[in-house]
Amino acid sequence: MQTPPAYSSLVAVGDSFTEGMSDRMPDGGYRGWADLLAARMAARAPGFRYANLAVRGKLIGQIVHEQVDVAAAMGADVITLVGGLNDTLRPKCDMVRVRDLLTEAVERLTPACEQLVLMRSPARQGPVLERFRPRMEALFEIVDGLAAEHGAVVVDLYGAASLADPRMWDVDRLHLTAEGHRRVAEAVWQTLGHEAEDTGWHLPMALTPPPGWLLRRTADVRFARQHLLPWIGRRLTGRSSGDGLPPKRPGLLPYEAGHDAEHPAS
């Protein structure tokens, strides 16, 4: 097995998934899989630099217009690009436009780095997945095709049984828990050719007794009040949870563990 290169820099591009929601830290910010990946890469490469341009709520058009050129100009060794899933969750989604924008992003980023990383995003089991599954799988077909054409690698999180488990998802049912983000970091780490630290990151979780009916209904009510209704309100008014927020880590700077989350956890 060939020794993978000790990459000296990483730039992460995307939305809330890459920003790190809902992997909360004590200071109120988010960590997430990209920060965890940066920490591992920094341990192998003195002077390692890391930027995270992700902002929650961004659609693929916003990612392309606001992040892609900035990322390309940084000249990083590795760039991760995850986007388009927010588009598929909208009532009206033009998949042709999503494809064209993703193609534009990949064509700009591929020559600007040594390795471009794309992903098939994870999906929580439940009725929401079933409703939007056709669009999501169409998105992943686009991702696979672009990777094959441009030499990018694809991290298949959608096919991981562990990440489909509702226990891996926060109470908002849209974002992974800290354990979920840890597993994503492991998946990207292995896809880049590094020796596995957790060979079973993708395996189904051990069975546990399901919560009782009353607890499930209480959780459903809390979810609707605290997360679903505000989400619908933003869709109806054209607002985003990321409006006004800067990129998480806009500069390609030396990585220091524990000092990289800037966005508040709200």
Side-chain angles (χ1 to χ4, degrees), residues 61-74:
Q62 295 169 309
I63 291 172
V64 170
H65 297 142
E66 298 169 12
Q67 300 179 30
V68 166
D69 283 346
V70 177
M74 289 179 171

Side-chain angles (χ1 to χ4, degrees), residues 21-39:
M21 295 173 72
S22 292
D23 183 5
R24 296 173 180 83
M25 298 197 302
D27 65 0
Y30 291 117
R31 184 177 54 175
W33 66 264
D35 284 13
L36 294 169
L37 177 65

